[in-house]
Amino acid sequence: MSETIFTKIINKEIPADVVYEDELCLAFRDINPQAPVHILIIPKKAMPQLNDAGEADEGLLGHLMLAANKVAAREGVADGFRLVLNNGAAAGQEVFHMHFHLLAGRSFTWPPG
Ligand code: 5GP
């Protein structure tokens, strides 16, 4: 796959406001926040989109969601946050390095736009 801006963030080639990091993932504030808390949670392993994940990624995907819980707790929003994953351009994905958006700090409507 071609390198994205998120690979450069993982490799510390460009700066990001990192709020959590472990051996498998990185979480940092979105540059264009859509809520008072808007954090991106990305695997260090590059996969363009969720649809590219295979059976071997089962543990990694669970790890990312547990990381989201940790980030939410650190941000003081564990009681209410939205976790969003855009899979593919048709769903609004713009950066093709799979990531979750953790959004919190305001009320949300359903269905999402
Ligand atoms: P997508 O639309 O692919 O689901 O979400 C990509 C997100 O990455 C967007 O919310 C966008 O604001 C964010 N983003 C794009 N480039 C950068 C960057 O260089 N730094 C940070 N922190 N966020 C970025």
Side-chain angles (χ1 to χ4, degrees):
M1 63 174 278
S2 58
E3 191 174 271
T4 71
I5 195 90
F6 289 178
T7 305
K8 294 187 192 319
I9 289 174
I10 291 167
N11 294 333
K12 316 292 187 203
E13 293 165 11
I14 64 168
D17 187 356
V18 174
V19 298
Y20 176 81
E21 181 170 12
D22 62 30
E23 71 281 10
L24 295 178
C25 72
L26 188 68
F28 51 93
R29 296 190 193 283
D30 196 291
I31 204 166
N32 182 25
Q34 302 302 309
V37 175
H38 186 173
I39 293 167
L40 302 173
I41 301 161
I42 72 172
K44 290 183 174 176
K45 172 184 173 178
M47 69 174 81
Q49 56 191 58
L50 178 63
N51 199 34
D52 295 307
E55 295 296 325
D57 298 309
E58 185 174 353
L60 175 61
L61 295 176
H63 185 91
L64 294 173
M65 299 187 86
L66 292 175
N69 278 346
K70 291 176 187 169
V71 170
R74 287 184 181 191
E75 295 290 316
V77 298
D79 59 333
F81 62 90
R82 183 170 282 185
L83 204 56
V84 174
L85 186 149
N86 298 321
N87 182 84
Q93 186 175 4
E94 294 182 347
V95 178
F96 283 83
H97 180 122
M98 191 269 271
H99 54 278
F100 285 104
H101 297 252
L102 188 155
L103 299 141
R106 65 170 171 85
S107 57
F108 297 98
T109 57
W110 191 263

